[in-house]
Amino acid sequence: MTTPLPDLWTDWCSVTGVPTDKIDEVSLSCFSQQAQPSQAVLAALRRRLAPKDPPAPAWPRGHTEDIGSLQRLIRRATAIIQHPDTHWVFRLRLRRMLFAAVLLAPRSHGGLGLDRSGALGLRPDGMHRVRGQIGVAPEPEDCPACATWSWLDVIGTNSGWSHSSVRVLGHRRDEVGSAHRHLRPDPNPDWHLSIGMLPAVDRWGWIDAYGSMHPSSLSAVISAAALLLDGPEPAPAPVPAAAAMPANPRRQMSREEEEQILKRADELTARVEAILREFDTGR
């Protein structure tokens, strides 16, 4: 028996004139932007797009069936990236981790489902071919396509500009409340000249322009991603005083509760940073 198409999809198709059986990446991207469907609806449509989802052998065990895991990982890492106290080299490594996660996550999650060798062996021409298959989320802070755009900006800057330009980019945080980054043109298309899409990043922020990281380093990146998925929510960035008071006050958290939550979040962030730092080779 064939599972019926989601009502939201058929309604959107009737309004936009898209045939209901035209389930491809372009249509799904437009549908996601305009109708803002739930992840369950998107997953159902993606199963039609690729009925036999690749096993994604490198994705953290325990999260293979967790369709929202990739977006949750992106949202949690983005919270650390956006925090003003995050060191710029750690920020670069987090962006690389999210790009690796997009390559490795199952297609039903919005990723590409590659194995370790496929991710490490990916070259710009291959990335260009599969980029349109990467998932899109309603919000930029957990969007796989936006995370990809940000990392391509980094390696494009590394390829065509100076190390100081990479450092400036490492200090930069994403604009809050802006439109999806992946809808903009690539700011540094020199990523097409890169050799490895997953290079090492040493402790001074130098990015290896001549190859991909060692397989053991990718395993460490996967471990850091799993830790971030399984741990508590990262500490949020400080809220400006003018925006600190919510419109509808909720139960006030005690100072002790708040300190305990922030302590656990800081410990998690430190562990993730240590893992990513330990396995990056020197320049």
Side-chain angles (χ1 to χ4, degrees), residues 185-224:
D186 287 340
N188 284 295
D190 285 339
W191 67 264
H192 290 93
L193 305 176
S194 301
I195 297 177
M197 305 298 294
L198 285 172
V201 182
D202 75 9
R203 60 178 176 168
W204 296 283
W206 289 94
I207 300 175
D208 185 358
Y210 302 103
S212 295
M213 67 172 74
H214 192 272
S216 64
S217 298
L218 180 57
S219 295
V221 170
I222 296 169
S223 296

Side-chain angles (χ1 to χ4, degrees), residues 1-125:
M1 183 176 69
T2 303
T3 304
L5 290 166
D7 291 339
L8 184 59
W9 169 257
T10 56
D11 291 343
W12 177 81
C13 288
S14 66
V15 171
T16 58
V18 174
T20 56
D21 59 350
K22 187 186 178 184
I23 304 175
D24 55 26
E25 289 295 341
V26 174
S27 298
L28 287 180
S29 178
C30 294
F31 174 63
S32 180
Q33 290 291 318
Q34 296 173 6
Q36 297 188 353
S38 68
Q39 289 306 304
V41 169
L42 280 176
L45 292 170
R46 284 192 176 281
R47 282 194 290 271
R48 300 249 182 172
L49 177 65
K52 293 183 179 179
D53 194 25
W59 191 241
R61 293 183 178 181
H63 295 284
T64 304
E65 302 300 326
D66 180 4
I67 292 179
S69 60
L70 176 59
Q71 290 189 32
R72 187 167 67 256
L73 174 67
I74 295 173
R75 184 175 64 253
R76 290 184 170 194
T78 297
I80 302 174
I81 289 170
Q82 294 294 84
H83 200 288
D85 293 340
T86 299
H87 192 274
W88 69 274
V89 176
F90 184 33
R91 192 173 282 130
L92 291 179
R93 287 173 171 153
L94 284 170
R95 293 198 187 280
R96 183 192 57 184
M97 181 187 74
L98 293 184
F99 177 70
V102 171
L103 299 184
L104 302 174
R107 292 181 181 273
S108 58
H109 296 33
L112 295 175
L114 301 180
D115 58 16
R116 284 173 169 82
S117 62
L120 292 172
L122 188 64
R123 297 295 180 259
D125 57 341

Side-chain angles (χ1 to χ4, degrees), residues 261-274:
I261 291 173
L262 291 177
K263 180 181 178 181
R264 289 180 61 209
D266 287 341
E267 289 173 349
L268 172 66
T269 300
R271 290 175 64 192
V272 171
E273 182 176 11

